Amino acid sequence: MTDTASDPLKAELLQIALDAAHHAGAFLRDGRPDDLGVAATKSSAADVVTEMDIASEKLITGLIADLRPDDGVVGEEGASVEGTSGIQWVIDPIDGTVNYLYGLPSWAVSIAARKDGETVVGVVHAPMRGETCRAVLGEGAYVNDRAARVRPAPAFGLALVGTGFGYLAERRARQAEVVRQLIPQVRDIRRGGSAAIDLCDVATGRLDAYYERGLNPWDYAAGDLIAREAGALTGGRPGEPLSPDLTIAAPPGLFEPLQRLLEELGAWHD
Ligand code: IPD
Ligand code: CA
């Protein structure tokens, strides 16, 4: 798949991210064992890693290291290279691992490239949807070959809001309490199981908004850029950028009241 950006470095990073995401996506889709099991657990028994998460991360980091050996890398399954070039890759080899484990289709490979700390390229490839979302900083967002654009902000009470839940029981109980108070005030809630896809769904108008506490940079780096380039505002607590404390994405007009309400409801703490 060939794609361009006006700046040659960004064009190169985009091409590498697209190639790596497509290779990993095909490997994951075609190679998923019927008897796929849990290889390890992380923060809790529900926070699982499969052999395919590990193999996908190896495949992606191997491709990047061959082409750009001086770049830094951070990946969900432990990849960690400091790098000397000023470029850092932020990789989620399977976002939506629990969906992948169960054979549900909503999972994606998420790859972002940061230049001196700023995300300049983001790719979220969802093989079972046949969709790749991509964005280059300042150059818009695309889903396959179509420009991606957020849905105009609806009245607050008509917003379809995506969210997700962490893996620790205490955090989930608090997150459920926030949803309990939010759900009577909006159209409905969706829990898709992949933060990267949720952010793309805001970018393409399939969700009005998305928020979640407790994400890691590999969950949101690519999707954040895609959502912003599609016209969304993203952030965390009022006045703060999005972070592991809180990630919010929504079009202008919906973002502000949602951010205010989430602050009141304490969505940013356990
Ligand atoms: C998870 C997914 C999920 C979100 C969790 C993430 P993983 O990532 O993005 O939607 O609710 O907070 O940890 O574990 O499938 O890579
Ligand atoms: Ca993830």
Side-chain angles (χ1 to χ4, degrees), residues 55-223:
S56 173
E57 183 161 299
K58 278 209 181 103
L59 192 160
I60 296 164
T61 54
L63 287 170
I64 290 172
D66 282 350
L67 295 166
R68 294 191 50 96
D70 300 329
D71 290 355
V73 177
V74 55
E76 174 159 23
E77 307 315 335
S80 176
V81 176
E82 191 76 41
T84 54
S85 64
I87 301 297
Q88 183 197 45
W89 296 89
V90 185
I91 299 161
D92 196 336
I94 307 180
D95 187 52
T97 296
V98 173
N99 284 347
Y100 184 78
L101 178 68
Y102 278 74
L104 287 166
S106 225
W107 53 269
V109 178
S110 175
I111 303 179
R114 289 179 170 165
K115 183 171 186 285
D116 304 323
E118 181 178 39
T119 305
V120 292
V121 161
V123 169
V124 173
H125 174 50
M128 309 307 284
R129 284 183 159 197
E131 277 183 3
T132 308
C133 288
R134 67 178 196 277
V136 172
L137 181 65
E139 302 192 19
Y142 293 84
V143 51
N144 294 343
D145 292 326
R146 280 175 293 121
R149 203 65 209 157
V150 291
R151 184 178 278 274
F156 197 84
L158 294 179
L160 184 62
V161 181
T163 191
F165 305 102
Y167 291 117
L168 296 172
E170 195 180 69
R171 174 162 297 175
R172 297 165 77 87
R174 174 88 200 109
Q175 289 172 318
E177 178 54 25
V178 171
V179 168
R180 187 185 71 76
Q181 296 184 67
L182 180 62
I183 200 166
Q185 305 192 47
V186 293
R187 181 192 292 275
D188 208 346
I189 296 287
R190 293 289 181 270
R191 196 291 191 250
S194 160
I197 291 179
D198 290 332
L199 286 161
C200 290
D201 281 347
V202 172
T204 56
R206 289 172 175 158
L207 287 173
D208 291 306
Y210 165 73
Y211 78 94
E212 184 165 346
R213 164 165 171 71
L215 296 180
N216 287 294
W218 44 78
D219 300 313
Y220 63 67

Side-chain angles (χ1 to χ4, degrees), residues 1-5 8-23 63 67 89 111 121 123 134 136:
M1 180 161 183
T2 307
D3 272 286
T4 52
L9 174 62
K10 287 183 195 160
E12 181 193 349
L13 299 176
L14 175 63
Q15 195 57 58
I16 292 171
L18 285 167
D19 288 347
H22 279 91
H23 271 101
L63 287 170
L67 295 166
W89 296 89
I111 303 179
V121 161
V123 169
R134 67 178 196 277
V136 172

Side-chain angles (χ1 to χ4, degrees), residues 36-41 45 48-51 101:
L36 180 66
V38 172
T41 59
V48 297
V49 184
T50 72
E51 63 185 83
L101 178 68

